[in-house]
Each structure stands twice: as structure tokens, then as C-alpha cells.
Amino acid sequence: MKQKLSSHQTIGLEHLGLSGLGDVYWNLSAPALYEHAIRRGEGLIAADGPLVVRTGQHTGRSANDKYFVREPASEKEIWWGKINQSITPEQFRKLHARITSYLKSKDVYVRDGYCGADPTHRLPIRIVTEYAWHSLFASNLFIPSDGSTPSTPPFTVIDAPGCLANPKEDGTRSETFIVVNLSQRLVLIGGTSYAGEIKKSIFTVMNYLMPFADTLPMHCSANIGKDGNTALFFGLSGTGKTTLSADGSRVLIGDDEHGWSSNGVFNFEGGCYAKMIRLSPTAEPEIYATTRRFGTVLENVVLDETRRTLDLDSDTLTENTRGAYPISFIPNTSETGRGGHPKHVIFLTADAFGVLPPVSRLTRAQALYHFLLGYTAKIAGTEKGITEPTPNFSACYGAPFMPLHPQRYAELLGQRIDQHKPHVWLINTGWSGGAYGVGKRISIAHTRAMVHAVLDGRLDDVPVNIHPVFGLQMPTECPGVPREVLDPRNTWADKAAYDAQAKQLAGRFAEKFREFADQVSPDVRAAAVAAG
């Protein structure tokens, strides 16, 4: 039986150019969306209840197919370039006409909600999708509507994976497009079934809007200790951001996207979008348990279609297997999605060159320097063509989603550090005793011990040594960690090789920092010199 809709629900989409649709399904429950997805052949149900789907040729974000409409209100604010590409209003009009024409006579699913757990800064959103499972994804990832009428129009995403652009006519790079129109409060997504584009497009919008509300948007996880102290964990993929913040002794605020306003820290989302590949029931029990729950959406996880059992270790479809689930599926999570001003800020890096200390404390200037660089390393096999460790820099630990110049976000971070005096740390979860292929990855037990010592304040007054190349303050002792591990040079058999490797990486840091050197304060430039 199909749900009957009241006329105002259908009319509510006409201002978006969506008319002549099939049936419109508004804010369906998870069980109803399961039924629709199965009936439409969009996925399969695994033995323990999750909905398993495939995203086709796109198993990750299409970064080169994302555009902003170049329009007067935002043109002078956006940091235009390879990351933030422009498209004309006329090109947007053509794509809008194409996607609304494509959806005529088709059923659509509408999800209303919010991005932002702080009522002062929350953004009303509306997600219109072609697929039922994309609506379930949006239901899991965003904060549900409370039924009230928003004071501002919602920012809407129209998501139609089957609608393909014509590059010659539309001016796109390919048939795939993710286009943000800030003035019309509208995002168009076509040519890709990867649901992460929905999440990241709204995150991108928040990253544009929040600085104008004196709020720092952050690509980080956050949790709260028993003493009420909040901690932030910044880091790129593979550095341990989700794993290290999911700590049974602390309350999880969120695992990926947050704001830091005058009120404190708040989660942007109502759910989690975690990597599933080689997930361990012992190392990551909370996340692993979500793969056995009704309501979880699993993307590109290999499924035995006869027995309906999962193979989380298989990368047959992609290394980037994902799971989307409500944050309530994780035990010990915040009911409000909010925390106080952080006492500790942790930058995570996985240094595959084996030269950065496993833990070091940063000055304010060093914090802004490392925030602007956003360094980690890619290792052989993670991407096509990578055969040896390669530096990977992503400004603010989230450059693909930052529409403004990185210095804007760095200035806000500097203000927060000045106001609330958090301790800032750099923790290396990468290699020790040599580069990737020679050394070994730093023990997760040692990393957890260092994180616990940081958050418990046990490293605040420990004597430090200054790293001779990077100028970092290295604690000389840490409970649960051998002393020799704390100074990376001590772990290398060939000390001359370590020195050469450290100087080489510092040179890569200096080369990257030249992009920002003209915009930063003298103390940050001095920190850059000390690190290079």
C-alpha cells in the first residue's frame, strides 16, 4: 500500500522546480524505507539486519566533479581553485532543468531535518532523493526534524543518481555533478550513487556559513571525559580519528564534523559514516556491532547472497567500504550532541616516513602551522600509482570541504586557543624505527596510552626534549609507553638515515607552507622556519 500525501506536502517541492512527480514519500520510517528499497531492487538485507547496497562505478567522492555557482553574494568569499571550482549561473540553470526533467513521473523520497546540534547554529535541511536507501542514509546521518517550522528556508539537496550531465552542453568535466548554489540554498547531485556526496555537500555548506556566525567548523571527532572536559581529534582518513575518539571511558559527541562556537562544541550530525574495511570485533567492538543491526546502511560491503553473511575483510568492490548508522547505535554517546570548550585539541597524523614523534605538545603558533598543513602520509597500495610513502597535505584537515581560504579557519582556531587555552598535541599513529616497509606501525596500545595520558593531564608537567628538526616538545616519559619510543630517533638503527629522512620531510613541509606564508602572522611563520 502506498502512502497518501496531503496536497501541501506535494506543493512544498514546486518552488524547487519539481512538478509532475510520481509518488512523493515524506519522512518515511526505517522499516518503510527498507520495504521500498527491497521492492525497487536497491539492496539486500544481511543476516543480522543491515541493508547492503552497491554504489556502482563511484565508490568514493568525485572531488573533480564538485562545483560552486559563481554568483555575486559569495564570489569574493570563496577560495577558488582546483578544490573549489566554479560554474556559471547559466550552467547551473541547465543542470537544474535537466534534473527536474529527469525526475518527472518518478517517485521521490523527502527527508527533513537539521545539520547542527546547537539550536543557535543549526541549519534546516531538506534532502530529496531518487533512491529509498539514500533517504535512509540521510535519516541516519542528519538530525531529525522536530516538527517545528524553521525560521529560515531549508538548504535543499536534490539527489538523482540516474541523471547524467552532458559535458558539452552543461560545461561539466564528466556526466557526474555535485553543484552548490549558495544564493538559492540548493545542491544538485547527479551521476553518482555514492551517498557520501549528500553528507559532504551539507558539510561544505556549513563550512561556508559558520565562520560568518563566529563559529569554527571542524573536520574532527569529539568526546567528553568523566570530569566534563571535552577533547577534539583532528585527522585525515587512516589516522585513527574515529577509533581513538570511540573510547568506552568517555562520552562520544560525534565522529566527524563539529562546530566550535561561543557556546562550546556541537556535532553537525545525528549519525556516523564509518569505514568498514577489515573492521575488528575486538579492536573496534562498538563500530563492529553496528554491522549487525537493523537500520545500518552498508555500502559496497561484500555479501554472500545465499547465506546473507558479510565479508568485512574483502576489498573486492572497493577499499572504501562504508557504514551509515545513527549515533545512538554507539554506546555511551551524548544525548545532546554538545560539549563545553575543549581542554585538549589533538592533531592526528600517520607519518609513514617514521620521523615524527609519537606524541608532542604544540605552542599556539605550531598549532596553527600544523592545522594549515594538515599532514599525513599515503602508503604504497592505498591509491593507484603510489609505490612508496607520499606526503599528503589537506589544509585544516579537510581541504576538500572548505570553501573559504584556510587562513580564515586558522584565525578562528587561534581565537579559540587564545580565549579558552586548550592544550594542543600532535600524535603520530604512523611508523617508528624506520619508514613504511622497514619500521613498524606504532602500537595501538601505546597510542591509546598516550591519548589517555594527554586527556588525563598526566603529560602537562612532564619534562620535554625539543626535536632538533621540527622544534616539537617531546615528553620524556609517558605511563604505559617505553621511554625509547618517545624519541623517534632512538628507534632507528641508522641514526644518520633518520636525520636525512627528517630533514627531507621538513623540506616538504616548508614547500607546502609557502602557499600560506603571506597570510599568516609572524609567530606562525617563525614556527614554520623552526620546523623546516
Side-chain angles (χ1 to χ4, degrees):
M1 179 181 296
K2 292 184 176 180
Q3 178 183 353
K4 299 294 183 182
L5 299 179
S6 61
S7 60
H8 81 274
Q9 289 176 313
T10 304
I11 292 171
L13 301 178
E14 291 182 348
H15 74 285
L16 300 171
L18 294 170
S19 60
L21 300 169
D23 289 316
V24 180
Y25 298 98
W26 213 276
N27 295 320
L28 292 187
S29 65
L33 289 169
Y34 261 67
E35 292 172 357
H36 282 249
I38 298 304
R39 185 167 62 244
R40 291 158 55 97
E42 295 178 4
L44 297 171
I45 302 175
D48 295 307
L51 181 66
V52 183
V53 299
R54 295 188 179 184
T55 63
Q57 65 172 327
H58 293 289
T59 58
R61 291 183 302 104
S62 299
N64 294 328
D65 296 307
K66 177 182 172 182
Y67 306 89
F68 282 89
V69 177
R70 189 181 286 269
E71 44 88 20
S74 61
E75 182 176 11
K76 294 182 180 180
E77 301 291 346
I78 292 177
W79 186 39
W80 299 107
K82 184 178 179 180
I83 291 175
N84 299 311
Q85 303 176 98
S86 69
I87 202 168
T88 68
E90 177 60 20
Q91 288 171 313
F92 178 82
R93 187 194 65 76
K94 288 181 179 180
L95 287 168
H96 185 231
R98 187 179 296 280
I99 205 168
T100 54
S101 175
Y102 170 83
L103 288 173
K104 285 189 181 297
S105 301
K106 287 185 170 59
D107 296 349
V108 298
Y109 299 83
V110 185
R111 175 66 49 184
D112 286 328
Y114 293 99
C115 185
D118 184 344
T120 306
H121 298 292
R122 69 184 185 181
L123 176 73
I125 58 172
R126 173 165 291 169
I127 314 296
V128 182
T129 64
E130 178 184 4
Y131 293 165
W133 80 263
H134 275 196
S135 192
L136 179 58
F137 173 93
S139 175
N140 286 348
L141 264 293
F142 296 111
I143 299 169
S145 171
D146 58 8
S148 63
T149 301
S151 58
T152 58
F155 217 106
T156 301
V157 175
I158 302 177
D159 165 60
C163 179
L164 305 179
N166 183 323
K168 289 185 178 180
E169 293 182 7
D170 301 322
T172 56
R173 186 189 68 90
S174 71
E175 293 179 327
T176 300
F177 57 95
I178 304 97
V179 185
V180 181
N181 190 321
L182 291 165
S183 63
Q184 294 188 22
R185 300 175 72 84
L186 185 60
V187 178
L188 306 179
I189 301 175
T192 174
S193 298
Y194 182 67
E197 299 288 11
I198 300 172
K199 164 189 160 81
K200 291 303 185 183
S201 65
I202 291 297
F203 182 35
T204 299
V205 169
M206 289 291 279
N207 289 344
Y208 177 83
L209 295 174
M210 288 296 98
F212 296 103
D214 192 31
T215 296
L216 172 63
M218 305 175 293
H219 187 208
C220 73
S221 56
N223 63 25
I224 309 173
K226 294 178 181 178
D227 56 1
N229 287 321
T230 299
L232 304 180
F233 299 78
F234 289 85
L236 302 177
S237 179
T239 60
K241 175 165 57 75
T242 297
T243 299
L244 292 172
S245 62
D247 184 328
S249 66
R250 298 175 65 86
V251 174
L252 181 67
I253 301 175
D255 81 327
D256 198 39
E257 300 165 2
H258 293 81
W260 187 355
S261 72
S262 58
N263 300 325
V265 170
F266 62 97
N267 194 359
F268 282 173
E269 302 178 290
C272 302
Y273 190 41
K275 281 192 172 183
M276 296 286 118
I277 193 70
R278 292 178 284 277
L279 199 64
S280 167
T282 53
E284 297 129 329
E286 295 89 356
I287 302 173
Y288 183 87
T290 68
T291 69
R292 268 63 183 166
R293 291 197 61 164
F294 180 89
T296 294
V297 178
L298 296 177
E299 288 183 331
N300 302 311
V301 172
V302 172
L303 176 73
D304 183 317
E305 295 188 10
T306 301
R307 294 180 295 172
R308 299 297 176 95
T309 54
L310 302 171
D311 185 354
L312 295 176
D313 294 331
S314 176
D315 59 1
T316 301
L317 299 175
T318 178
E319 181 83 12
N320 189 37
T321 56
R322 291 275 179 171
Y325 47 87
I327 196 170
S328 59
F329 281 14
I330 299 293
N332 202 27
T333 54
S334 168
E335 294 182 359
T336 65
R338 301 171 66 181
H341 297 290
K343 182 177 180 180
H344 294 283
V345 175
I346 295 174
F347 296 153
L348 298 169
T349 183
D351 176 29
F353 296 93
V355 298
L356 289 180
V359 59
S360 50
R361 186 167 173 177
L362 306 181
T363 65
R364 177 191 185 277
Q366 288 173 328
L368 300 188
Y369 169 73
H370 284 276
F371 181 69
L372 285 168
L373 288 182
Y375 165 73
T376 191
K378 297 177 182 178
I379 60 175
T382 56
E383 290 184 16
K384 185 177 180 180
I386 294 181
T387 58
E388 60 184 19
T390 304
N392 181 28
F393 298 100
S394 185
C396 312
Y397 295 96
F401 323 114
M402 303 294 176
L404 307 178
H405 192 284
Q407 179 59 15
R408 292 281 294 276
Y409 304 107
E411 288 172 355
L412 281 169
L413 177 61
Q415 291 171 15
R416 296 293 180 267
I417 292 174
D418 291 340
Q419 292 166 352
H420 305 291
K421 305 294 189 296
H423 295 164
V424 186
W425 306 84
L426 179 67
I427 289 184
N428 174 22
T429 63
W431 276 256
S432 179
Y436 173 81
V438 177
K440 294 182 179 181
R441 187 129 196 199
I442 296 170
S443 160
I444 184 64
H446 289 165
T447 297
R448 288 190 186 279
M450 288 182 275
V451 169
H452 288 156
V454 162
L455 300 182
D456 293 343
R458 288 176 288 164
L459 296 187
D460 289 356
D461 300 316
V462 168
V464 298
N465 290 326
I466 305 300
H467 193 281
V469 176
F470 294 96
L472 301 168
Q473 302 174 58
M474 303 181 296
T476 56
E477 58 185 64
C478 176
V481 182
R483 282 177 175 265
E484 61 271 17
V485 172
L486 297 173
D487 186 333
R489 192 172 188 269
N490 290 339
T491 65
W492 283 54
D494 186 339
K495 303 298 190 285
Y498 173 85
D499 295 340
Q501 187 83 290
K503 290 178 181 178
Q504 183 180 25
L505 183 60
R508 302 294 288 270
F509 278 28
E511 179 183 352
K512 181 63 179 179
F513 189 73
R514 292 191 188 103
E515 295 181 17
F516 314 112
D518 292 341
Q519 289 88 21
V520 301
S521 60
D523 62 329
V524 178
R525 282 198 294 274
V529 171

